[in-house]
Amino acid sequence: MKLKLFLFAVVLGMISGFAGAAQADTVRLRGTVVDLAGTTLTVKARDGKTDTITLSPDWMISGVAKASAADIKQGDFLGIASVSKADGGSGALEVVIFPAALKGTGEGDRDWDLQPNSRMTNGTVADVTEVNGRTVTLTYSNGQKKEIAIPQSTPIVKFAPAAPADLKPGMTVFVSAERGSGGKLVSRRVVVGNHGVAPPM
């Protein structure tokens, strides 16, 4: 299971890293499980639409477990979805703390679709300050930097083990899928909220 979780995180980071190139074909589904029958996963999305996803033979699954801002330290590698704040800078929508073995995975800053005009930044924590909550400075892509404020209400998670049996009706999931020319959705990656925490990404 540890190996499978490791491989899942690597693939998730790679997909995030190449999001710009595959943006037209990549579909990110956020919702709840309706059914899992063999390798066919049915998900009800947040907008009420139901999608059917075919899981590839080598599909991988991960869970997420709750973490906190106190767990974030200088040198950690994070994935943060954020939006611009009215008073300037960026505010985090969610934070994923990567295990040390995956430092550098999907490094960079790119468009994201968690909310309108949101961004995803994967980078190393260069600095942590605490003024009305935590603010981190991430470094990525040849020394570029981005400062992101993390409000106290921001969901913060880390990867956790999961199994196909966790994909029960009603469980929250995040699925990254590819839409083929015929409209069929195929995925190798599923994140499930099997530790009492909904995947916030």
Side-chain angles (χ1 to χ4, degrees), residues 117-139:
N117 303 313
S118 59
R119 308 283 298 176
M120 173 61 73
T121 308
N122 285 18
T124 301
V125 178
D127 189 29
V128 181
T129 55
E130 299 196 37
V131 179
N132 297 322
R134 287 206 160 189
T135 295
V136 298
T137 301
L138 298 184
T139 60

Side-chain angles (χ1 to χ4, degrees), residues 31-90:
T32 56
V33 174
V34 174
D35 183 53
L36 175 64
T39 57
T40 300
L41 176 65
T42 305
V43 174
K44 184 176 182 179
R46 296 183 300 183
D47 61 4
K49 180 182 177 182
T50 298
D51 290 289
T52 299
I53 306 106
T54 298
L55 302 174
S56 62
D58 57 347
W59 74 285
M60 293 167 276
I61 185 169
S62 173
V64 287
K66 186 177 181 179
S68 71
D71 297 322
I72 299 173
K73 304 176 296 299
Q74 187 174 8
D76 284 347
F77 191 79
L78 310 179
I80 303 180
S82 65
V83 291
S84 297
K85 299 190 301 179
D87 59 352
S90 296

Side-chain angles (χ1 to χ4, degrees), residues 24-27 29 49 51-52 177-186:
D25 300 321
T26 299
V27 179
L29 301 172
K49 180 182 177 182
D51 290 289
T52 299
E178 299 297 317
R179 189 184 299 278
S181 57
K184 181 179 179 179
L185 292 172
V186 179

Side-chain angles (χ1 to χ4, degrees), residues 18 36 45 47 54 60 89 111 134 141 147 156-157 170 172 186 193 199:
F18 293 111
L36 175 64
D47 61 4
T54 298
M60 293 167 276
D111 290 334
R134 287 206 160 189
S141 302
E147 188 175 275
I156 302 174
V157 299
T172 55
V186 179

